[in-house]
């Protein structure tokens, strides 16, 4: 039954976000993504700092080793992003910069394929993280999957725009993005069979999951929110950020209650 939950969660995490991104029209992306970025930052920070990390530190694993794992995880995701040819996070939409200008078609095409390769690796890692969370505790798996979905939606919106700028048709961009999303299912299934026998590794995998969430929130999402805005726009950012934290707090409370 746990494997079924993992497959469903990774399928939703990997494919649902792609479908939502593709269903959005380009005319509403700039307005909607700003809110999604704030919401995602709250969800990721709430999941990592209020739920997943406490769960890991309540285990028998040593605090010193877990903090070293957290540091290593942050450095790993920093280097992983460095290794990508094109940064494909969440900053392609609505920032006033036309990233595709100045590139010829071949350069843009290579950028599109780079995004797909990088996204597939990212989704595969997400699948392993979700599997580890479900194996540790089902409610932890649900919350982790929700956090993955929340941060994947604005990322997939950005990826979708990059692929369109790279010359992909809407149909091809959707198809290739969906295939990339299926890498999460592969990671989840592999994680179930490979990670399962080594339960002692769960706290460390949970810390790695947290480092992924914290890195995405602090390095990719929050910097986009740090711009000169009106008081109303700043209040809106804080409201959506708080909504993400409140959402995770509510979900965690519901599962604890059961």
């Amino acid at each position: 039954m746990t494997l079924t939950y993992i497959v469903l969660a990774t399928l939703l995490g990997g494919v649902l976000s792609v479908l939502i991104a593709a269903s959005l029209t380009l005319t509403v992306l700039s307005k909607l993504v700003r809110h999604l970025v704030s919401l995602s930052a709250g969800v990721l920070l709430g999941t990592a700092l209020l739920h997943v990390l406490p769960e890991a530190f309540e285990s028998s694993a040593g605090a010193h080793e877990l903090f070293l794992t957290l540091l290593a995880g942050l450095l790993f995701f920093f280097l992983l992003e460095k290794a990508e040819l094109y940064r494909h996070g969440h900053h392609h939409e609505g920032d006033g910069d036309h990233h595709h200008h100045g590139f010829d078609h071949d350069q843009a095409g290579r950028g599109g394929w780079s995004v797909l390769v990088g996204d597939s690796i990212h989704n595969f890692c997400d699948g392993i993280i979700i599997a580890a969370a479900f194996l540790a505790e089902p409610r932890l798996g649900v919350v982790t999957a929700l956090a993955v979905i929340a941060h994947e939606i604005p990322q997939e919106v950005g990826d979708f725009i990059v692929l369109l700028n790279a010359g992909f048709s809407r149909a091809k961009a959707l198809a290739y993005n969906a295939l990339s999303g299926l890498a999460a299912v592969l990671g989840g299934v592999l994680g179930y069979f490979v990670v399962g026998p080594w339960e002692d590794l769960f706290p460390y995998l949970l810390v790695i999951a947290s480092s992924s969430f914290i890195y995405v929130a602090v390095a990719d999402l929050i910097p986009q929110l740090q711009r000169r805005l009106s008081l109303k726009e700043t209040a809106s950012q804080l409201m959506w950020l708080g909504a993400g934290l409140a959402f995770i707090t509510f979900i965690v409370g519901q599962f604890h209650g059961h």
Side-chain angles (χ1 to χ4, degrees), residues 13 76 80 151 225 246:
F76 169 77
L80 181 64
H151 91 266
L225 306 179

Side-chain angles (χ1 to χ4, degrees), residues 160-173:
F160 196 67
I161 292 177
V162 171
L163 293 179
L164 292 178
N165 289 341
F168 289 76
S169 66
R170 290 180 69 91
K172 280 190 174 181

